[in-house]
Amino acid sequence: MKPVKKKKTEEPELEPLCCCEYIDRNGEKNHVAACLCDCQDIDEGCDRWLTCKSVQPETCERIMDTISDRLRIPWLRGAKKINISIIPPLVLLPVFLHVASWHFLLGVVVLTSLPVLALWYYYLTHRRKEQTLFFLSLGLFSLGYMYYVFLREVVPRGHVGPTRLAVLTCGLFLILLALYRAKKNPGYLSNPASNDKSLSSSQNECLSKKGQEKTKGFPGADTSGSLNNRTLKDDLKGSFRMLASSPTKVKEDWCAKCQLVRPARAWHCRICGICVRRMDHHCVWINSCVGESNHQAFILALLIFLLTSVYGIMLTLDTICRDRSVFTALFYCPGVYANYSSALSFTCVWYSVIITAGMAYIFLIQLINISYNVTEREVQQALRQKTGRRLLCGLIVDTGQYNRGFLRNWQQFSTLGTRAFHHPAEDIV
């Protein structure tokens, strides 16, 4: 009882934080206005940069950690921390697009360098196995900025009616809804041992109800639920006993970091730091894994994005390049750089075309993998181990392990995430 009384007396002593105060990484109270004060690493780095001296990598890491810790915005009950990877797309994308709209050659250079810089940053973060909000910020801000340019530069010309604008706006909102669904739990796996040790009362009631339904109609069943709980637990552990029948298989499927035996087709994501059921890949555009529970929403988001983007490109080209087909206007639109408004719109069209082409390639690969019932993780593993059939110069990789035919593969994909503990017998290895 004494520790409880101490806690009750200690809680009122904690002073509430104002909107500009926060607790830094050292556990001390700090203020947003003092973001550049009392930092020896930043002072040393600035002195070395001004005197053209080299800065050690350890000092650069400490400077970045300090900046990321002090970069905050005022908020209720304390300033909120901002992820520094969100900021570059918000600043650089409008600057690059405006510079590219000055001249045709500048547009070619900028629009060519943007994918190269994005790929370089992707491989840099992928090699370090770090989570980043850069691509999620880039994608969301690109959607918003393209829509802003469309409303400001294209709609006032009078060629886009209210119905077309409403359709494009609905497509944008559907993309956001699909992305929100795709950002949810992809199917994270939890440690069954820890779950058995810490079963809550609600979980015990659920186990009891399921046990009663299972033994309903059989004489001699224990209505108290103890026998039913034991029966259900044995069923849940049955799949792990099947995996444990082979020591080699247990060694392959055992995750030392999550301390569990992975079911078939599950994998540990080194970026998220957790095992995902039927993991396809880690998508940087949503900053999350694509697994059993969100794969359908991921495909839906890609489809809606492609349709909306193509529709917006067609409306823009039909407005700034009249009396020309969409394909012709994309490569030949005389006088488009004579007006800054039309030049900016044309530059944004080409930026949208580049992004759409990349997403179309991802969408095509996903459709092929679903048709052959393989995940991207299984494809990469088959390519490294030189197993499976390669078709169309490696565009199609058929491992043959889970392929049950085109229709059955799509039928299985359409039911992903609907049954939490049931898996087809052919998927148990």
Side-chain angles (χ1 to χ4, degrees), residues 58-72:
E58 296 80 7
T59 305
C60 293
E61 292 181 0
R62 290 197 300 268
I63 292 174
M64 294 303 298
D65 293 339
T66 303
I67 293 176
S68 61
D69 182 58
R70 296 187 178 186
L71 188 63
R72 298 173 183 261

Side-chain angles (χ1 to χ4, degrees), residues 111-127 134-135 138 284-285 354-355 358 361-362:
L111 293 177
T112 305
S113 61
L114 280 178
V116 176
L117 291 176
L119 289 174
W120 171 79
Y121 185 78
Y122 167 75
Y123 285 112
L124 180 65
T125 55
H126 187 73
R127 186 175 68 251
F134 175 85
F135 294 97
L138 178 62
V284 295
W285 294 104
I354 294 173
I355 299 297
Y361 175 77
I362 297 176

Side-chain angles (χ1 to χ4, degrees), residues 17-24 28-38 42 66-82:
L17 299 175
C18 72
C19 62
C20 296
E21 293 179 337
Y22 63 94
I23 304 300
D24 59 13
E28 300 177 356
K29 183 184 291 187
N30 209 331
H31 199 276
V32 174
C35 60
L36 298 178
C37 301
D38 299 331
I42 295 180
T66 303
I67 293 176
S68 61
D69 182 58
R70 296 187 178 186
L71 188 63
R72 298 173 183 261
I73 57 174
W75 202 257
L76 299 176
R77 298 181 181 179
K80 294 295 183 180
K81 188 176 180 180
I82 302 176

Side-chain angles (χ1 to χ4, degrees), residues 366-384:
Q366 288 291 314
L367 293 182
I368 293 174
N369 290 345
I370 295 171
S371 301
Y372 284 88
N373 200 0
V374 294
T375 62
E376 188 63 25
R377 181 66 185 82
E378 294 167 352
V379 169
Q380 298 299 327
Q381 189 176 15
L383 292 178
R384 285 195 299 266

Side-chain angles (χ1 to χ4, degrees), residues 13 76 90 92 148 225 261 280-281 286 297 314 343 357 396 415:
E13 296 178 0
L76 299 176
L90 307 182
L92 297 179
Y148 168 76
V261 179
D280 189 83
H281 69 287
I286 62 174
M314 292 174 60
I396 302 174
T415 59

Side-chain angles (χ1 to χ4, degrees), residues 250-262 268 275:
V250 170
K251 186 176 180 181
E252 293 177 356
D253 292 335
W254 172 257
C255 181
K257 295 183 179 180
C258 297
Q259 295 295 308
L260 53 83
V261 179
R262 295 189 297 262
H268 183 86
C275 288

Side-chain angles (χ1 to χ4, degrees), residues 150 154 160 164 168 310-320:
F150 184 82
V154 179
V160 179
R164 294 181 176 181
L168 186 66
V310 171
Y311 187 67
I313 291 171
M314 292 174 60
L315 291 179
T316 305
L317 289 177
D318 184 62
T319 302
I320 62 177

